Amino acid sequence: MASLLIKNGRVVDPSLNLDAKRDILIEDGKIKKIGARVFSRRCSRQVGRGAEVIDAKGRLVLPGLIDMHVHLRDPGRPDKETIASGTRAAALGGFTSVCCMANTDPAIDTPAVVKYVRNKAETCGVVNVFPIAAVTRGLKGEALAEMGLMLEEGAIAFSDDGNPIMQADVMRRALEYARQFGVPIISHCEDKNLTAEGAMNESALSTQVGLPGTPSLSESVMVSRDIMLAREFGKVHIAHVSSAASVDLIRQAKRKKIPITVETCPHYFTLTEEAVADYDTNAKVNPPLKTKADLKAIIKGLADGTIDAIATDHAPHNIEEKNVEFNLAASGMVGLETALALVLTYLVDTKALSLKKAVEKLTSAPAKILGLNKGSLKAGSDADVIIVDPKEPWTVDTSKFASKSKNSPFNGLKLKGRVLCTIVGGKVVVRDGKLLV
Amino acid sequence: MNKVKSINKKDLLGLKDLSLSEIKLILRTARSMKEVAARPIPKVPTLLGKHIITLFYEPSTRTRTSFNMAAKILSANITNVAISSSSVVKGENLIDTIRNLEVMGVDAIIIRHPMAGAPLLASKNSKSSIINAGDGFNEHPTQGLLDIFTMQEKKGNLRGKKVLIVGDISHSRVARSNIWGLTQLGAKVVVVGPPTMIPKGIEKMGVSVSYDLDKEIEDADFINMLRIQKERQGKSLFPSIEEYAKLYGLNSERMKKAKPDIVVMHPGPINRGVEMTSEIADGPYNVILDQVTNGVAVRAALLFLLLGGKSSQD
């Protein structure tokens, strides 16, 4: 494979504790060298033989982002997304690795389906795809799925995401059993009984618009249960945390060294329940958007390290399932193509997080949680790299999304931070903000 | 205050969206309509040639009939679409249903739907006027208007008057529409019911909350008893009909504590022996049948203002 030299960029790599001007040489799909002025003119000329040079002056050069929580709808719902379309959306958004959830049809609950996802990713995908397999068969929350065999086929973690594991004894056995593999169980924390018919956050606003509310407790009660289980049985990763109460519980648990890790999603630090006040189904998501106080608590949790990672919970839905009565509309929003810009605009520009910290939550933090050998520009690593224009504002236009689904509440929003170039394993898949594949 | 002469809106989705002057205009116009409805031949040609459809996804006797009467007073054509026999049972979605009705040349669609926001969704996808006849727990604006109309008829200006709304506030669109309207008119609204039936943050709508009906009834001018859905008993909202009736029902014992001129209301249909005993339901304080009569006048006023009227007759 040809070599590639990225010159003059501001390289931000939390795994190397680095935020400085550096050059990066990529050879044979790996990071060959990273350094300041290591490539003198003479040296450049040497490596330049046959090497492509990208001038990243004024740009950010980051490890390829890792999204530890996406729904690719493959197998089962090619009208909403496929591995082909979802990984292209990922590439445009700067994600070089995505971890796809098991609530497909059929579910990723057997070694064969894990294998299908891996094969499909190999042949049709343009970024790395890591399947997260089901904890229980059919995501029913009852009998354990074949975790060991699914790991052998390439699953990297387990989750029944979309469905909570309501029975504490099942969750207990899952955590105990998963211990032998050292991989986390990712928990969608929701008490279905408390949620009941809830369609938005239960609050003065739900009272005023007459929608059935989901109490914030629906999440925090389960977070609290899972913290207790993690204390006894080990490693829980809590998905899409959305409430102040949950952040508080997690902060206390971490102080007590209970082995839990946490992600939140861009919509929980950018939007509040007000986004659904006009019954906008594109802002209907589970867990539901909460109040300003919750949003502030999420940002504080990100800043003080209570929340480890940022994931999109990319949840593609077609217009038929969104352009209906609010109660009937599917929950979830697409996120791959807006996440980085939302982080840069709403967390970094506002100085809530340093750039390095923000990048960490999108790269080395999820890599560490999942034990992935990704998210670093250290010499010898896979050459997953992105180049970002941090300054030029752009406007979200869902009609231009590579995702098959357009269910974003951010359509029309002006953001900063555009992905110009995405390199996966040394191969340029996005250039000048456009897909090459 | 400058009086508005018309409602510059395509739809009536809720009292939440109406200004005080618009509410007053509808009430003024309803007074003229009540006079028309009382004539020997209760018919004016105002909406001759207009086509109105009622599209009800939930059962209704009063509201649908009342809209039919109102339309006929104004000489409009009205067609009732019965959901059980429509293509909705074949899986047609709301937007398609609305669009199909619209291209038949409909001027207004009166919609009742079990989910909040459905009339808004219909409105966004239709050029016809959409009139909300009840959506989920959100609003039932014509009920709110006819309640207010009836209250004014009995006691004039509502500013400072104390209105109790008693029952399952959480699941009541009637309560919400009443609250939006009454608070604009300056009434003092107290919602009363067991805590499981008081929705979160309702104080922000400008009302106070009480669990003590005996205390609240003492200085109340109006008491609006909401219908209790018996199917909710024994789940988690309340343990039994008997206990509910004891704590929050109206009976002659409790009425002794009220002011002698208290006005008793109910949006119907009444569960006798639950919200109120038969003595009260058939007693001298109640205006429940006036509410029904006034419903026709209020709905006629609304159809007139949305579909034909440029100004009220005053």
Side-chain angles (χ1 to χ4, degrees):
Chain A
M1 196 181 277
S3 53
L4 184 62
L5 177 64
I6 303 168
K7 276 173 51 173
N8 302 324
R10 176 183 169 193
V11 178
V12 180
D13 181 352
S15 79
L16 300 174
N17 194 23
L18 179 70
D19 180 352
K21 204 169 148 189
R22 288 286 185 276
D23 294 348
I24 294 172
L25 178 67
I26 295 169
E27 263 179 27
D28 301 325
K30 302 277 182 193
I31 307 285
K32 174 83 173 176
K33 268 186 192 169
I34 173 168
R37 282 187 245 132
V38 288
F39 308 109
S40 63
R41 195 171 294 160
R42 190 170 55 86
C43 182
S44 274
R45 215 178 296 125
Q46 278 178 358
V47 302
R49 222 166 274 140
E52 188 195 339
V53 178
I54 298 176
D55 188 359
K57 189 160 189 261
R59 315 294 195 206
L60 299 175
V61 178
L62 313 175
L65 310 181
I66 301 168
D67 191 342
M68 65 181 301
H69 192 146
V70 301
H71 298 273
L72 295 181
R73 309 288 184 222
D74 194 347
R77 289 304 298 266
D79 55 322
K80 294 184 175 185
E81 200 80 287
T82 59
I83 286 170
S85 64
T87 55
R88 280 168 176 77
L92 280 175
F95 291 94
T96 54
S97 296
V98 294
C99 307
C100 57
M101 285 294 174
N103 63 340
T104 48
D105 185 14
I108 310 179
D109 66 347
T110 59
V113 185
V114 177
K115 196 168 185 174
Y116 162 86
V117 172
R118 295 280 292 181
N119 287 342
K120 191 91 187 282
E122 204 65 45
T123 52
C124 308
V126 302
V127 305
N128 306 297
V129 176
F130 298 101
I132 294 169
V135 178
T136 66
R137 290 171 197 261
L139 308 166
K140 289 202 176 86
E142 292 161 5
L144 294 184
E146 293 167 323
M147 292 188 191
L149 298 181
M150 294 194 289
L151 282 175
E152 282 180 9
E153 290 297 344
I156 50 128
F158 300 100
S159 181
D160 278 5
D161 183 69
N163 297 316
I165 296 173
M166 280 294 291
Q167 284 177 240
D169 59 332
V170 175
M171 188 65 169
R172 173 216 161 140
R173 293 302 182 201
L175 289 172
E176 270 184 319
Y177 192 77
R179 263 170 127 167
Q180 63 186 312
F181 308 120
V183 298
I185 303 264
I186 300 172
S187 178
H188 166 122
C189 286
E190 177 185 6
D191 184 317
K192 280 279 182 198
N193 299 320
L194 283 170
T195 297
E197 303 299 312
M200 68 171 285
N201 184 45
E202 183 180 279
S203 65
L205 185 65
S206 67
T207 294
Q208 288 176 28
V209 300
L211 285 171
T214 297
S216 179
L217 279 174
S218 173
E219 174 179 281
S220 50
V221 159
M222 282 303 235
V223 166
S224 139
R225 181 200 77 174
D226 285 349
I227 287 170
M228 289 301 111
L229 288 170
R231 190 166 77 165
E232 296 284 327
F233 305 109
K235 262 199 185 176
V236 176
H237 175 79
I238 296 175
H240 46 55
V241 157
S242 69
S243 80
S246 300
V247 174
D248 276 351
L249 287 164
I250 293 157
R251 185 176 289 119
Q252 289 169 36
K254 285 193 162 186
R255 264 189 215 132
K256 291 177 186 149
K257 309 282 180 223
I258 294 172
I260 59 168
T261 53
V262 192
E263 80 198 22
T264 190
C265 313
H267 38 279
Y268 299 121
F269 57 75
T270 54
L271 297 176
T272 67
E273 58 178 6
E274 291 293 335
V276 301
D278 288 330
Y279 308 94
D280 179 3
T281 57
N282 281 331
K284 183 181 179 186
V285 63
N286 191 20
L289 298 172
K290 301 207 163 49
T291 64
K292 190 94 191 165
D294 293 291
L295 180 147
K296 284 185 179 159
I298 294 291
I299 293 176
K300 186 159 172 269
L302 283 162
D304 72 10
T306 302
I307 300 174
D308 304 271
I310 296 170
T312 64
D313 194 3
H314 179 80
H317 289 296
N318 57 26
I319 190 155
E320 289 79 12
E321 289 181 28
K322 279 292 189 182
N323 203 9
V324 294
E325 294 87 329
F326 195 88
N327 303 48
L328 299 180
S331 288
M333 51 183 78
V334 290
L336 284 166
E337 293 170 74
T338 48
L340 177 62
L342 289 168
V343 168
L344 294 175
T345 309
Y346 285 85
L347 295 178
V348 178
D349 263 17
T350 58
K351 309 235 185 297
L353 289 190
S354 69
L355 179 59
K356 203 196 288 174
K357 202 137 205 191
V359 172
E360 179 190 337
K361 294 187 193 290
L362 290 161
T363 57
S364 52
K368 189 173 165 214
I369 292 165
L370 297 170
L372 294 177
N373 192 16
K374 291 279 182 189
S376 174
L377 298 174
K378 180 175 78 213
S381 306
D382 294 338
D384 297 345
V385 188
I386 63 169
I387 303 173
V388 178
D389 173 359
K391 295 216 177 68
E392 190 71 30
W394 61 284
T395 303
V396 179
D397 178 356
T398 53
S399 71
K400 300 218 166 79
F401 279 2
S403 171
K404 284 193 174 186
S405 293
K406 315 297 173 192
N407 53 309
S408 168
F410 301 109
N411 193 31
L413 192 67
K414 197 171 243 187
L415 297 172
K416 272 204 251 174
R418 186 169 187 91
V419 176
L420 297 174
C421 183
T422 303
I423 299 161
V424 182
K427 186 180 170 196
V428 180
V429 296
V430 171
R431 188 194 295 274
D432 299 327
K434 292 191 175 61
L435 280 165
L436 301 182
V437 285
Chain B
M1 201 182 86
N2 51 341
K3 279 188 178 179
V4 290
K5 290 284 173 77
S6 64
I7 291 186
N8 200 13
K9 285 190 168 68
K10 176 170 85 77
D11 313 303
L12 176 71
L13 301 180
L15 292 195
K16 186 168 29 191
D17 318 314
L18 291 185
S19 68
L20 181 58
S21 50
E22 286 170 327
I23 292 174
K24 286 184 169 170
L25 171 66
I26 298 169
L27 296 169
R28 271 202 315 275
T29 311
R31 281 197 280 278
S32 316
M33 290 298 165
K34 192 168 180 181
E35 182 269 314
V36 172
R39 288 177 194 169
I41 301 169
K43 210 168 183 69
V44 291
T46 322
L47 296 187
L48 199 63
K50 299 278 185 191
H51 290 268
I52 298 169
I53 279 185
T54 67
L55 177 65
F56 275 42
Y57 290 81
E58 282 184 336
S60 156
T61 316
R62 235 167 311 265
T63 305
R64 189 194 284 250
T65 311
S66 178
F67 269 114
N68 274 267
M69 300 287 287
K72 281 168 185 162
I73 287 172
L74 298 170
S75 306
N77 296 315
I78 187 155
T79 307
N80 297 304
V81 178
I83 284 309
S84 58
S85 60
S86 78
S87 52
V88 173
V89 294
K90 298 177 194 162
E92 186 174 62
N93 74 24
L94 177 64
I95 294 173
D96 287 338
T97 303
I98 293 289
R99 284 182 181 154
N100 277 281
L101 293 175
E102 184 177 67
V103 295
M104 294 177 195
V106 167
D107 298 288
I109 300 171
I110 299 166
I111 179 170
R112 168 169 288 188
H113 196 286
M115 292 165 198
L120 177 65
L121 182 67
S123 161
K124 283 180 179 166
N125 290 281
S126 170
K127 289 188 207 68
S128 313
S129 283
I130 302 291
I131 296 171
N132 182 4
D135 64 328
F137 318 142
N138 183 36
E139 285 231 37
H140 189 350
T142 56
Q143 180 72 42
L145 287 165
L146 75 88
D147 286 346
I148 290 167
F149 183 87
T150 308
M151 290 174 172
Q152 285 188 337
E153 213 173 42
K154 299 298 161 192
K155 299 212 169 189
N157 192 340
L158 299 181
R159 184 159 296 280
K161 294 282 192 300
K162 179 169 174 181
V163 183
L164 306 186
I165 304 176
V166 182
D168 186 357
I169 312 295
S170 291
H171 298 95
S172 176
R173 53 198 177 209
V174 174
R176 284 174 179 76
S177 285
N178 263 275
I179 292 168
W180 293 121
L182 287 168
T183 49
Q184 281 232 53
L185 290 164
K188 212 176 120 205
V189 181
V190 182
V191 296
V192 185
T196 45
M197 292 180 171
I198 305 291
K200 190 168 181 178
I202 187 133
E203 298 86 353
K204 287 206 175 150
M205 290 173 73
V207 304
S208 51
V209 173
S210 171
Y211 312 127
D212 187 349
L213 182 55
D214 286 315
K215 178 172 150 269
E216 298 300 336
I217 203 169
E218 284 174 7
D219 58 346
D221 298 292
F222 300 93
I223 180 164
N224 196 346
M225 305 300 291
L226 301 175
R227 177 183 162 74
I228 283 297
Q229 288 180 279
K230 289 186 180 171
E231 58 273 20
R232 298 194 196 278
Q233 115 176 272
K235 296 218 171 124
S236 46
L237 294 186
F238 64 112
S240 74
I241 288 289
E242 291 69 26
E243 183 162 321
Y244 180 85
K246 181 87 194 331
L247 294 172
Y248 297 101
L250 266 191
N251 50 42
S252 29
E253 200 57 35
R254 190 161 266 149
M255 281 301 279
K256 283 181 196 155
K257 296 178 178 154
K259 297 202 284 192
D261 63 341
I262 188 169
V263 174
V264 176
M265 307 173 73
H266 193 295
I270 303 176
N271 294 304
R272 287 173 181 258
V274 184
E275 296 99 58
M276 56 183 75
T277 58
S278 281
E279 269 176 292
I280 305 295
D282 304 324
Y285 329 90
N286 89 65
V287 294
I288 296 166
L289 294 175
D290 300 80
Q291 286 174 269
V292 178
T293 312
N294 290 338
V296 177
V298 164
R299 290 178 176 115
L302 194 70
L303 292 174
F304 170 75
L305 290 169
L306 285 179
L307 297 184
K310 282 283 163 274
S311 69
S312 67
Q313 285 96 325
D314 65 355

